[in-house]
Amino acid sequence: MPNSTTNVTRTVSVDKRQDGNVLKTTTTTTTTTVTKTVVPKAKKAVVTEVSYDSHAILINGKRFIFISAAIHYPRSTPAMWPKMMEKAKAAGVNCIETYLFWNLHEHDKGKFDFTEELDFLHFFKCAQNAGLYVIVRIGPYICAETNYGGYPAWLRDIPDIEIRTNSEPYKVEMERWVRMVGEILRPTLAPNGGPVILLQIENEYNLVAKRNGEKGQAYLKWAIELAQSLELDVPWVMCLGGMPGAIETINGHYGHVFVKELREQRPNQPMIWTENWPGWYDTFTTPHRVRSAENIAYGVARFIAEGGTGVNYYMYHGGTNFGRVASFLQTTSYDYGAPLDEFGFDTTKSRHLADFHSLIFANAEMLLSIEHAPAGVPIGENCLQFTFGDHLSFLCNDAVEGTEPAHVEVSLPGSAEKFKYVLHGRTVLVVDAKTGMLLYDSKNVRPESSIKREWKPSNIELSWNQWVEPLPVNRPQIAAAAVTAEDPVEMLLLTKDRTDYTWYTTTLPAGAKSIKFNGISDVFHLFVNDKYVASTRPNLDENRTPVDGADFIHEFELPGLTESSKLTVLVTAIGLIRGDWMIGDTNMVNEKKGIWGFTEVQVKDSTEPVVLKNWTMYPYLVGEALGLNTANARAVASVLPVAPVSAVEPGLPRWYISQPFDVSLDDESTGFVLNVASLYKGTIYINGRSVGRHFVTPTFPSAPAFDWLVQAVTEEKPGPPVQIRYHLPREWLKPAGNTLVILEEGAKEVDVSMVSIDLWALV
């Protein structure tokens, strides 16, 4: 067990704000406070036991408050990890939290990838080197706005499987994965010299518990028993739906509203908030949502006032959905309104929250020494006072923002006089319980904490050549072989989720005047006799009907066809669902892409529709097969009929390949983005790395199902596209000889000459 001198030294290294602002001026809580609450520098720590009591997590038998930062290793680059962790530590964070992404590690069954941004052991080592502990959420269901909720797509195709319920085929695969990663994780656990102090099994099961019923509860019980059988010697947690044997934790914008009920249900465990959402995710068809720094500070302070002793900001750094990481309709940016922005830079949120973290750690010993959290004393309408001994008093106004401020008069244990304060809606004031001095105001962002950035042009000149993707009739042999069948074959059966693209072709009868697809998704482009006809209508909904329902049925008028004609459909996926509720609350195994239902046409002078038969499917694009999306793009382009950019008939996909360009990488305070406001839909690549999907489409107000979000976030005005700028990680750029490649699906006229590289720079 570390001695007290060592603990003091490590405290200084964990929180620079404490060194400068608090520890040197607080003489009554120095050594004891440090020992109980501040993370030792993990690479030198000797941790023999991690446990918990009814109030807090225990490290070597001593209570421990944690402020955790969710950073997902696949959504940033390895070069970003240590920098972001140092920023988080400087803001008072003492833990890093991440999910494990089974969908990325085992994309193809039996083939594992733990390299580069998937090297979570290196990620943990970066945290340990920074003096931070780690919380690992194994899942394997993780949601996380990631493809298939964290599951590999091949899981869907196992015979007789049901996902996230008491299904033997599912449990066989889950157990195989969990046991394997359990052994990988074993050396990283704190009792074994590593930084990992908590593990999570499953995730947010309450969202599907009602539908899964008794089978679901049997599965959940099996899941925690599987976790315990690994004997990994650190506590397990289960968030938003748990079982005995694990700490059940809280998710939401406001954690305090769940504390009373959870404490009654689980009196022997601490109150831990696994997901404190500092903003919200974006989808391509809904406006951006914003949560203020002041509102986040209110939420976390209010939770601590209720006796919470563990908070994880989900996300502290959201990052980027590089490649095909994103789930259905998710934007490539996963900024999430997090304290560190998409590029890993500090924001006003990180600075404002840092002030509160410093206050909490300076008083942690006192906060942890109280066996039972103080009851809230009413001090006005919607206002409560929580007083911890004679040290701190939290004055809370739970009324919504914008309501009339409350003028309250309170008593404090250290003084005989009354103290008056003004409490705005959703505000927490923390005051000294002896003197009444204001120590923190969640509503007041200090001027020096305000950080402003703006987009600036980079003056990097871009010029382009283009190569037009051929229709199937002109498809060379190098591409994937055609598949023929009487009925259309569902896309994922063909692609195994290795591409977003598949062509479907068949023959239309003479006189066909309209077509109805009874099962098609996500975005598709129709051609008749090799001429573009139509595309999916806008305003795709994030949550849709079951796959045999109305949201997957599409009808189109056809041009007058007097003879039999060729129908060609390019179907593109925009990520797999991440939960049952996204397909009408049916099991995730029902997820489908491409064309799968019967397709019928209405023929002139006939009352009976004709069902189309004899389909040919062509998975992948030729440009993908040739390698235009790789680091060899320029070499590939040199042997293709590449031409300068010119007008192309809408509908045909095209590949834009930039001429080599140089980038100055000297200023690390700026981030690079590609501005594609003049494009429509496709994928962006830089030097052979996939930046992610772009989709420049109008946005529409959120569906009523998302009305609950307004309690904490504000939705911006609908209309403008939610994302037009795409993160180009500086680690993927070179001083000279960079190549951008843009796959543009071509359903609309675009102007690639307007594409530019912008800088995200401090004002």
Side-chain angles (χ1 to χ4, degrees), residues 34 78 87 119 134 151 159 216 297 301 309 314 323 329 332 360 435 460 495 544 586 603 606 611 627 650 654 678:
V34 170
K87 286 183 171 69
D119 186 354
V134 173
Y151 291 122
T309 55
Y314 184 100
L329 215 55
T332 292
I360 291 306
T435 66
I460 296 172
T495 67
R544 299 168 290 175
T586 61
V603 178
S606 174
V611 176
R654 67 211 74 165
S678 62

Side-chain angles (χ1 to χ4, degrees), residues 27-106:
T27 58
T28 59
T29 59
T30 49
T31 302
T32 308
T33 300
V34 170
T35 303
K36 283 194 172 184
T37 64
V38 180
V39 179
K41 195 162 180 63
K43 61 183 177 181
K44 295 180 181 178
V46 178
V47 176
T48 59
E49 181 184 33
V50 183
S51 57
Y52 63 92
D53 63 14
S54 61
H55 196 37
I57 298 297
L58 308 179
I59 302 293
N60 292 338
K62 296 181 183 295
R63 287 177 175 171
F64 166 76
I65 284 180
F66 70 79
I67 302 292
S68 175
I71 299 175
H72 292 164
Y73 53 94
R75 287 173 160 144
S76 50
T77 65
M80 294 171 66
W81 297 344
K83 299 173 186 177
M84 292 191 298
M85 291 174 184
E86 289 294 342
K87 286 183 171 69
K89 182 180 69 173
V93 165
N94 56 12
C95 289
I96 299 295
E97 177 271 315
T98 187
Y99 284 122
L100 297 187
F101 289 72
W102 187 12
N103 56 340
L104 307 181
H105 291 298
E106 194 183 6

Side-chain angles (χ1 to χ4, degrees), residues 243-298:
M243 275 282 162
I247 303 170
E248 186 168 354
T249 61
I250 293 166
N251 288 4
H253 284 108
Y254 302 123
H256 68 276
V257 299
F258 303 102
V259 167
K260 180 180 179 182
E261 181 180 0
L262 185 57
R263 187 175 278 135
E264 290 173 353
Q265 295 172 351
R266 301 292 187 93
N268 298 318
Q269 66 155 65
M271 294 296 104
I272 293 176
W273 191 1
T274 35
E275 292 193 14
N276 174 11
W277 304 324
W280 200 241
Y281 61 80
D282 286 325
T283 65
F284 283 118
T285 56
T286 52
H288 182 56
R289 292 128 172 178
V290 178
R291 187 181 184 193
S292 69
E294 297 90 333
N295 186 272
I296 303 165
Y298 157 77

